[in-house]
Amino acid sequence: MTRSNALFLLLLSYGVIGQPAAGQERLSVVVEYIAGTNIYLGAGTDAGITVNDTLLVYGASNDEKLGLFLVMSSTQERSMVTFAGDPFPVTRGSVLQIAPRSEATTGSRPADTPRGGPTDLPVSRAANRAVKRSPRASGRLSIDVNVLDSTTKPGGDQAVAIDRRFTTPAVRLRMRIAQLPGGLTLNTNFRAASRFASGAGIEPTQSLRIYQASLEKSFQSVPVQMHAGRFYNPFETFSGYWDGLLLHVGGEGLGVGVAAGFQPYLTNEDFRTDVPKYSAFVNYRKSSGAVRYYADLSGHKLQPSEARLDRTYIGLSQRLYWNRFSISQRLQVDRYPLNDRWTVTQLDVRSSIPMGRNLSLLGRYSLRKSSVAAPADDPIPTSRERATVGFAYYFFSGNIGADVTANRWDSSDISLTYASHLNFPRTPLLGLGFRAAASHWKRGNLATLYLSPGIRHSSGRLQSELSYQRYSTEGSSQTVVSEALELFLTFPIARKLFYTLQGRGQWGDVLNSNSLYTGIWLSF
């Protein structure tokens, strides 16, 4: 097991804690990583977070509203979000509470509309109807450049060091245009980039990644909703992205739907027509006082036109919240086409049990298996099993937590990962914030240690953070050490225009690198 795998296990061990609150479902999530204005959370579609969601963000131990997140992308276990409005202090390793933004579903006043503004002025019914029919755009546009210089020393030998430079300018646009003619809503999310790399035989390459380009239509007279184009199914969490058409019937309680289309390329988001797929699903949600329940059941069929095997699978996801207690379950069963046997390929169970006002006990079990039967002598693991137990304790404006995770690939020996974190977003000492994270992984003669303390400061909308990371991998014959220093800075240029600068220097026995990210982004 490599050092990067140990770090990956560390990030996975920081899971999701259910924290429902009065009047609104909340989830406690851990900030796993920050890259420029992109923030990576330890929660994804398994927790009901989907692309284009707008999330209210609160402090971990109080009801202080910090601001808004916009979900840019989401996988089963993590999401990438960005600020939807003014930035606020966020630190890697910190715990935040998130909830769906009520304004997005109830039609109340947007957060950036000033009181006493145009929406408070009396208007005629005709003028009001005209306003409602006017298209309304919102989203974010960013222009950024990422530069990386690296020196790789195989075996730690400076004489054979390989120097490389990568430069990647990019333009990103995420936009939603509502109230189009015919009651349509347009959703777009894409990234255009050029990648320049030094070294013989490598030419500059351009890419256009379209993550979403869809039209939505909701009918007023009947509870029917349609999606067409490239979209992510918001009613179930197993089918991923589509190029096709979706039809859903139902409201807040029970709903049913079907989808048909094609599977995009997972490597570059290109359009393809050689993997048609079909899905039928049922979703249900019920709230009664402090109890909330959400579920979706879906069946899926992929039929590649090439000489590849068809894929058929069924997914069931459930979430139950009762005050601060929560339990969630995700199950996927695949039919192996070689023998027609149904096998559990995904199982994930998470629970958070409150123990007093500030303490929660956490537990998780997960199982992943390949959806296609592999030969007995295949060296690539076909299954992974993981179990985690831990706790989180909230005090003042900070929090502390620890957990232990047992991992096993196929029938190999069990490895253990011990992880912990400490976070003070803001202290009386010059308004500084402190945080620290650590993990230790061991299996056989191989062990890794990760340490990362950090200090941050925020003044209004100006944010800065300085952090240090140390990675140490010890094997039977040698120990490899790598260290890094990272600086992050973001500040406003205008009310909705921001600039971000992030620099990172890494040095060690095998790899030395310097990276610089700079970008400017506009929220509208």
Side-chain angles (χ1 to χ4, degrees):
M1 182 61 56
T2 63
R3 176 173 61 253
S4 60
N5 286 333
L7 292 176
F8 183 64
L9 294 175
L10 162 69
L11 295 181
L12 289 180
S13 66
Y14 291 151
V16 181
I17 313 161
Q19 296 268 32
Q24 218 171 17
E25 172 199 347
R26 291 189 191 177
L27 293 172
S28 288
V29 297
V30 173
V31 177
E32 295 184 343
Y33 190 70
I34 299 175
T37 58
N38 295 328
I39 301 164
Y40 295 82
L41 305 178
T45 56
D46 285 3
I49 300 175
T50 58
V51 175
N52 287 329
D53 279 353
T54 304
L55 307 173
L56 286 166
V57 185
Y58 299 86
S61 58
N62 51 53
D63 288 330
E64 177 190 2
K65 179 182 172 182
L66 302 178
L68 295 171
F69 279 155
L70 174 69
V71 182
M72 306 298 293
S73 64
S74 186
T75 63
Q76 293 177 2
E77 297 181 337
R78 57 186 44 79
S79 301
M80 184 184 77
V81 301
T82 188
F83 297 109
D86 293 345
F88 50 88
V90 179
T91 304
R92 182 179 177 182
S94 64
V95 179
L96 302 172
Q97 293 190 58
I98 61 173
R101 180 184 176 186
S102 59
E103 290 90 345
T105 55
T106 63
S108 60
R109 181 193 310 276
D112 58 355
T113 301
R115 292 193 178 275
T119 55
D120 288 334
L121 296 177
V123 294
S124 65
R125 292 184 178 180
N128 189 47
R129 288 195 298 268
V131 170
K132 290 183 178 180
R133 287 197 299 266
S134 301
R136 185 174 183 178
S138 60
R140 194 190 79 159
L141 172 66
S142 68
I143 302 174
D144 53 65
V145 179
N146 200 348
V147 181
L148 171 65
D149 285 313
S150 67
T151 300
T152 306
K153 298 170 288 185
D157 189 354
Q158 182 66 42
V160 292
I162 303 172
D163 296 323
R164 301 292 299 274
R165 166 170 285 190
F166 301 91
T167 304
T168 308
V171 176
R172 310 165 195 259
L173 175 64
R174 192 281 312 164
M175 182 170 61
R176 178 180 178 90
I177 306 178
Q179 300 174 4
L180 290 170
L184 296 174
T185 297
L186 172 66
N187 291 293
T188 61
N189 185 2
F190 71 84
R191 175 179 181 266
S194 295
R195 184 167 183 256
F196 301 87
S198 63
I202 300 180
E203 299 293 336
T205 59
Q206 290 75 41
S207 67
L208 175 62
R209 293 178 177 265
I210 301 176
Y211 304 103
Q212 186 173 16
S214 65
L215 286 171
E216 297 179 20
K217 169 67 176 178
S218 297
F219 296 88
Q220 300 293 332
S221 56
V222 291
V224 175
Q225 188 175 138
M226 296 179 62
H227 296 247
R230 174 161 295 181
F231 58 88
Y232 188 94
N233 190 341
F235 304 103
E236 52 88 11
T237 58
F238 292 89
S239 62
Y241 284 92
W242 292 76
D243 286 322
L245 180 67
L246 177 147
L247 177 65
H248 179 265
V249 180
E252 287 297 317
L254 180 66
V256 298
V258 293
F262 302 97
Q263 173 76 57
Y265 279 103
L266 301 181
T267 55
N268 55 14
E269 287 73 42
D270 279 354
F271 177 77
R272 65 192 302 182
T273 59
D274 59 341
V275 185
K277 65 176 182 178
Y278 314 92
S279 176
F281 52 90
V282 178
N283 62 289
Y284 179 78
R285 57 189 301 155
K286 177 67 174 179
S287 298
S288 178
V291 178
R292 297 169 178 83
Y293 176 73
Y294 308 86
D296 60 85
L297 173 66
S298 55
H300 311 269
K301 179 75 171 182
L302 279 74
Q303 294 180 305
S305 57
E306 299 178 357
R308 287 177 289 173
L309 300 174
D310 291 358
R311 183 183 178 193
T312 304
Y313 64 98
I314 298 172
L316 172 64
S317 175
Q318 300 179 89
R319 290 174 287 147
L320 174 65
Y321 303 92
W322 179 24
N323 291 320
R324 290 175 52 218
F325 170 81
S326 72
I327 186 169
S328 65
Q329 164 264 311
R330 178 184 174 87
L331 173 67
Q332 180 174 311
V333 183
D334 276 69
R335 181 182 67 85
Y336 282 146
L338 298 179
N339 54 19
D340 284 337
R341 292 181 57 185
W342 289 89
T343 303
V344 174
T345 54
Q346 292 187 28
L347 175 60
D348 193 286
V349 180
R350 309 187 191 196
S351 182
S352 173
I353 304 174
M355 305 292 292
R357 180 178 180 181
N358 298 326
L359 178 66
S360 291
L361 299 183
L362 316 176
R364 179 183 179 185
Y365 172 80
S366 67
L367 172 68
R368 296 289 187 274
K369 287 187 177 181
S370 170
S371 59
V372 178
D377 58 350
D378 193 337
I380 301 177
T382 59
S383 68
R384 183 189 71 194
E385 197 173 10
R386 181 174 72 237
T388 300
V389 293
F391 75 92
Y393 184 79
Y394 308 99
F395 54 93
F396 302 110
S397 62
N399 57 84
I400 187 173
D403 57 60
V404 57
T405 301
N407 305 274
R408 181 168 62 184
W409 285 261
D410 291 339
S411 57
S412 64
D413 295 336
I414 293 177
S415 64
L416 295 177
T417 301
Y418 302 91
S420 62
H421 76 271
L422 173 67
N423 180 44
F424 288 94
R426 188 176 181 87
T427 67
L429 180 60
L430 303 177
L432 297 176
F434 301 93
R435 59 94 177 160
S439 72
H440 179 262
W441 173 86
K442 182 176 177 59
R443 188 177 72 176
N445 294 326
L446 186 64
T448 66
L449 178 65
Y450 166 76
L451 300 172
S452 178
I455 184 172
R456 73 173 320 278
H457 181 264
S458 62
S459 177
R461 295 191 294 170
L462 172 65
Q463 301 178 56
S464 59
E465 178 176 347
L466 180 65
S467 62
Y468 167 81
Q469 296 100 38
R470 178 183 173 88
Y471 314 88
S472 175
T473 301
E474 181 179 355
S476 57
S477 59
Q478 65 174 339
T479 299
V480 178
V481 176
S482 178
E483 299 173 276
L485 198 63
E486 187 171 314
L487 175 65
F488 171 79
L489 177 68
T490 184
F491 58 87
I493 299 175
R495 182 171 178 267
K496 294 187 177 182
L497 185 66
F498 299 86
Y499 176 77
T500 296
L501 176 68
Q502 183 174 11
R504 176 183 171 88
Q506 180 174 343
W507 60 96
D509 301 326
V510 176
L511 175 67
N512 291 341
S513 67
N514 295 292
S515 63
L516 177 67
Y517 170 89
T518 181
I520 185 171
W521 49 285
L522 172 69
S523 295
F524 58 91

